[in-house]
Structures are given as structure tokens and as C-alpha cells.
Amino acid sequence: MLVSPLRLVRTIMTSVTEETAPVLAAAAAGLTQKRVPIPPRGVDYRGKIVLAPMVRSGELPSRLLALHYGADLVWGPETIDRAMIGTTRRVNPRNNCIEWTRVPTNNVKKELFDESVIYRIDPVREAGRHIFQIGTSDPARAVECAKLVAADVSGIDVNAGCPKPFSTHAGMGAALLRTPEKLVSILEALVAEIKPAFDIGISVKIRLLETPAETEALVRRLCATGITGLTIHCRTTPMRPRERAIRGQLRMIADVCHEFGVACLVNGDVEGRDHALELMAEYGTDGAMIATCAEKNGSCFRAKADGGLATWEEAVAKYVRFAMEVENKFHNTKFMLTQMVPGKSPKYRELTPCKSYGKIIEVLGLTGDEELVEMARRTDELMKLVALDGSSSSGNDKSKVEAAGDDQKKNDLTNNVAQQGNLKRKREDGDEEAEKQQPPPSTRINGSEAVEAATTAAASVAEQQSSQPVAAAVAAS
């Protein structure tokens, strides 16, 4: 027997309590709300709690951790169009991940690897739940980039909210908010060429403008392009993460999106699944996006009723396993561990000198898991990390020992440069613990080695700042 939406609404509202009123009101509104059609291979953002695209923190193991703990969708890190154009798609025979690669432009990487992995997805565990975010300032390049990945993902998102210089200097990210005509042309091009050809939706992520009137005018223009979803980061471009999100415009933005049938997601200071549901009910948004809290502990996607936030030890152990399964870049894994392990924990300091997965397993006290230990050994050999910790180098060849020593010296400085950058970022965001920490000591090597190490430590950012097509995949908020 079919029941009309209005009759269902009346039935639902007869049992309203003080606690359930906001959620039921939002559900009732959703039943009568206009909705843009969702393409066959696309996903509807309504009712979804999702992982945000983040600087370095949105790589594959982080996404798998979020999905493990209940994220409904995951955004990959913002990937610059020029970085993807010219890549080669391949399937990794060891783990069946899909990878887009190119010849390295960095001299250090050339010595170690024949190819650099620019982007990587897990076609099984991310199936139907992965959204690819483009960093772009040109409609033609956006389309060319999207065509490379559209068959393997469930949606294409345009970054129009990243305030960092590596994005805005080239007219991308939040810079697009100052050039709405360009942003509209990019979305229209993607909707016209990608949506019908690949049967997936197009969405956009923006920030607040200076006044509600300006924000409303922009949202109306964007919704009219044919997008299926819009995420609003409730901060203006100049605001930093330490500044509290502004939600005064959120209800208005959600209402405008709903006029066009576009799903609206809220981003900014969303602490977890339960908090996300509260915000959705209070402001009428269709979903929520979690960033910083997910960076620290991916189990924030798990509702309190289902167990809530896991210990950092549990989350870290699962993250390391995912990282090795997908052959994640070691420097990225180490960076993520510095976000997940509390700064006051002795483990945090012990992780600092680690140069291999084997050593990380040892420091984290996971050596009792024989399968994990063997996985670390194989991963270290594959990534040529074994000799750097002196754990199991084969033979006594003097040249190998000397080469390992040189690599260790460079690796030491690379770690120091990365740690200094991480510490600076935390201090800029107002982290009180970071203010008390001392920067790591410099390693005494010559100038050319210092430059080389610094380049390695910041490769994902520095390479994309070049105006040429380069091998990098930079994530953005």
C-alpha cells in the first residue's frame, strides 16, 4: 500500500517529543524537498557524514580508516589538474589498488623509483564512496583531469575553498570565490562533459563570503550550474582553523540549496557523527563533513551508541596496517602518526627517528602480531627502507653501507624539515602543546643536500607550485 509523503509526515509528527522534534522536522522537510536527479553511478550526499579533503591527511590509508569506522563517503585530497594530466593509470598487482603515476621530477625520487604515484584508490573498499576533488582554475583542464579518473570514482568535486598559497596563487581554491564567473564556467563544463559521459555528479566546496548577501548570491549561481551537492566550510577565507566556525549563514545557505534541489553539507568544527547529526537537525543541512577531528582519530565517524571514539592506540594500529596494505608513502604515514599519537605520549618522541615500517611496529608495541611484522618487512624491502634503520641489510658490500649512510643522513634532515614544518603549522593553528615543543636539531650536511632534503620533505606542495605539469597530489581543506 502506497502512502503519500504528506500523510507520512502527519503520522510522524504525531509522536514528536522535545528530543526528537529537530530530527523529525528535518526528515519531514526532506520528504517534500525538491531534489536534482542523481546520475546512475553517482551518490546522493543527503544523510551522509563524510571525510573532508585535507592537506596530506586524505591519502588512501586515512580514507580506509574513516570508512572502517563508519564514514559514509570519503573525499580524496585536492589534486591539481596539471599534476594528473599526463599520468598513466595502472593496477598495482600486489594489492589491486588503482594508481595514476608519472616519471618523477625530483632527483632524489628518480634514484629510488621509476615512477611517482600521484593518486591511488582502492576500487573495492572505496567502491561507491569515493569523491575525487580537483584543484583547478581552468574549465578545459578540469575536464581533461576529470576524464582520467571519472570511471573509477563516484563523484567529482571542485575545490573553491582552500585558502593556502599553494592553491590560491594560481587562481585555484578560495581564489575562485573572487572570480565567480570562472568558477561557474568550470562547474558548467564538468556538468556538461563529465556528468552525462560517466553518470556521476559534480559538486563544489566553498567558504563563506564577507556578507550573507554575497554568500547567497554566489550559492544561487553555483546551484544553477547543475551540480548535485555543495559543501560550505563555515569560515571566511582569511580565517584559520583555530578560529571558531561561523554558522549564522548556514540555515540560509541550506535553504537556497534546497530551492534548487541541491544537497548541502556543513563543514567546520564538526566533531563527530553524533555532533554532525545535531548540526544537520539544527540548521537543516543534508549532511556533514569532518576534517580536523578525523585527522586526529578516524573513529570519530562511529556513533557513541556503537562504541564512540576509539583509543588512539587502536586507531593507530589499524591505520598502520592500512598504510602497509596500500604501500603508502612512508613520509606520509609518519606525518599522519604525528597527528594521531598525542604529543605528550612517550611514543610520539620514539616515533621521530623511525625510518622504516619495521621500526614503527616496534615502537608501537605491535611486534606480537607476526602477520604485521612480516608485512612491515616486505613493505620496507619494497620501498627500500630496510637499510635506513640498519635492521636487515644483506651482505657486507661497502658501497651499500656507504650508500645507506648517505641515505640515512639525508633522511635525518628530511625528517627534521618535515617536523619543523609540522610544528610551525600547529603553532599557527594555536596548538598550545606545539608552543611548548622545541624544533628538532639541524643535521650538519652541505647546502646542496639540505636543499635536496627540504625538497623531498615538501614534495607534495613544492612540486605543484610549479607552473609546469608536475608529479604531485596536494590535499587541501
Side-chain angles (χ1 to χ4, degrees):
M1 175 181 176
L2 295 176
V3 180
S4 72
L6 289 177
R7 183 177 177 182
L8 181 58
V9 169
R10 294 191 194 101
T11 303
I12 292 173
M13 297 307 289
T14 57
S15 57
V16 174
T17 66
E18 184 178 348
E19 291 77 17
T20 61
V23 176
L24 290 175
L31 291 172
T32 57
Q33 212 175 81
K34 177 182 177 181
R35 298 190 177 202
V36 295
I38 304 300
R41 290 188 52 252
V43 291
D44 193 340
Y45 294 174
R46 292 175 180 82
K48 305 294 195 301
I49 315 297
V50 310
L51 177 70
M54 291 179 287
V55 177
R56 290 177 289 182
S57 304
E59 298 295 339
L60 181 51
S62 300
R63 303 197 302 267
L64 293 179
L65 186 68
L67 289 170
H68 173 80
Y69 282 114
D72 299 304
L73 299 173
V74 289
W75 264 240
E78 176 200 21
T79 304
I80 307 303
D81 51 15
R82 292 184 186 275
M84 283 296 291
I85 295 171
T87 58
T88 299
R89 180 188 182 279
R90 73 179 184 190
V91 177
N92 187 320
R94 293 177 295 277
N95 53 31
N96 293 320
C97 287
I98 300 173
E99 301 170 341
W100 286 264
T101 68
R102 68 186 314 143
V103 176
T105 59
N106 181 283
N107 289 332
V108 175
K109 289 182 179 179
K110 282 182 179 179
E111 294 177 5
L112 295 175
F113 307 105
D114 295 328
E115 295 177 300
S116 284
V117 177
I118 306 306
Y119 203 79
R120 177 186 283 127
I121 67 172
D122 187 317
V124 176
R125 288 179 284 190
E126 293 189 285
R129 300 189 286 180
H130 182 101
I131 308 299
F132 180 85
Q133 190 183 69
I134 301 177
T136 185
S137 60
D138 179 78
R141 284 202 308 271
V143 169
E144 186 177 359
C145 173
K147 286 180 177 179
L148 295 172
V149 299
D152 297 301
V153 301
S154 299
I156 300 292
D157 189 71
V158 173
N159 186 317
C162 178
K164 300 299 177 87
F166 65 73
S167 189
T168 58
H169 90 286
M172 301 179 292
L176 288 170
L177 300 178
R178 299 194 300 269
T179 56
E181 295 81 7
K182 182 183 292 184
L183 177 54
V184 165
S185 67
I186 291 170
L187 294 174
E188 288 177 338
L190 290 168
V191 168
E193 300 195 44
I194 301 300
K195 187 176 178 180
F198 295 92
D199 285 329
I200 58 175
I202 308 299
S203 59
V204 64
K205 186 171 186 285
I206 65 171
R207 285 187 172 231
L208 297 172
L209 297 184
E210 294 305 315
T211 68
E214 291 176 302
T215 302
E216 180 179 353
L218 176 65
V219 172
R220 287 187 179 279
R221 292 189 66 179
L222 301 183
C223 288
T225 61
I227 58 175
T228 58
L230 180 145
T231 302
I232 178 66
H233 185 155
C234 295
R235 290 184 174 91
T236 61
T237 299
M239 291 176 68
R240 297 279 73 86
R242 65 179 177 274
E243 300 176 76
R244 296 300 297 174
I246 302 171
R247 299 198 177 104
Q249 301 182 41
L250 187 52
R251 168 67 69 173
M252 173 271 292
I253 294 169
D255 288 344
V256 173
C257 286
H258 295 161
E259 284 183 35
F260 289 85
V262 173
C264 177
L265 273 62
V266 56
N267 175 227
D269 293 342
V270 184
E271 298 172 0
R273 176 170 291 276
D274 295 326
H275 184 222
L277 293 172
E278 292 173 5
L279 292 174
M280 290 162 62
E282 181 178 357
Y283 294 99
T285 63
D286 302 290
M289 179 178 280
I290 306 177
T292 304
C293 289
E295 182 180 49
K296 293 179 179 178
N297 191 325
S299 67
C300 65
F301 288 98
R302 187 167 63 183
K304 187 176 181 179
D306 297 324
L309 203 65
T311 63
W312 70 262
E313 290 91 346
E314 176 189 319
V316 161
K318 291 186 182 302
Y319 172 81
V320 172
R321 178 180 290 274
F322 285 140
M324 292 190 294
E325 286 177 355
V326 303
E327 300 173 9
N328 193 48
K329 296 172 183 176
F330 181 75
H331 66 80
N332 179 259
T333 297
K334 191 170 175 179
F335 165 79
M336 279 303 301
L337 290 176
T338 65
Q339 310 306 302
M340 299 174 70
V341 178
K344 293 181 179 179
S345 169
K347 299 294 185 185
Y348 185 95
R349 293 185 180 276
E350 292 175 35
L351 284 168
T352 300
C354 291
K355 303 176 183 70
S356 68
Y357 279 104
K359 194 65 176 178
I360 284 177
I361 295 299
E362 180 183 328
V363 167
L364 292 176
L366 302 173
T367 53
D369 188 331
E370 294 183 4
E371 180 187 358
L372 205 61
V373 171
E374 175 60 20
M375 188 184 299
R377 185 192 66 76
R378 292 197 305 268
T379 306
D380 286 341
E381 287 185 355
L382 177 68
M383 296 186 174
K384 305 180 182 178
L385 297 172
V386 178
L388 297 181
D389 264 332
S391 48
S392 62
S393 68
S394 57
N396 297 312
D397 185 80
K398 185 177 180 181
S399 62
K400 289 184 179 180
V401 175
E402 290 176 349
D406 291 340
D407 285 342
Q408 182 165 350
K409 188 190 293 184
K410 292 175 183 176
N411 201 290
D412 286 339
L413 185 63
T414 298
N415 287 335
N416 286 343
V417 171
Q419 290 169 45
Q420 287 173 358
N422 187 32
L423 191 60
K424 180 181 178 183
R425 187 186 77 133
K426 287 186 175 182
R427 286 176 174 174
E428 289 175 348
D429 290 344
D431 190 314
E432 294 181 1
E433 291 187 11
E435 294 290 346
K436 301 174 185 178
Q437 295 178 31
Q438 294 295 319
S442 298
T443 304
R444 294 182 180 178
I445 62 176
N446 63 50
S448 62
E449 288 175 322
V451 171
E452 188 175 82
T455 301
T456 303
S460 64
V461 173
E463 288 183 352
Q464 286 197 63
Q465 289 179 327
S466 168
S467 60
Q468 302 175 358
V470 290
V474 179
S477 62

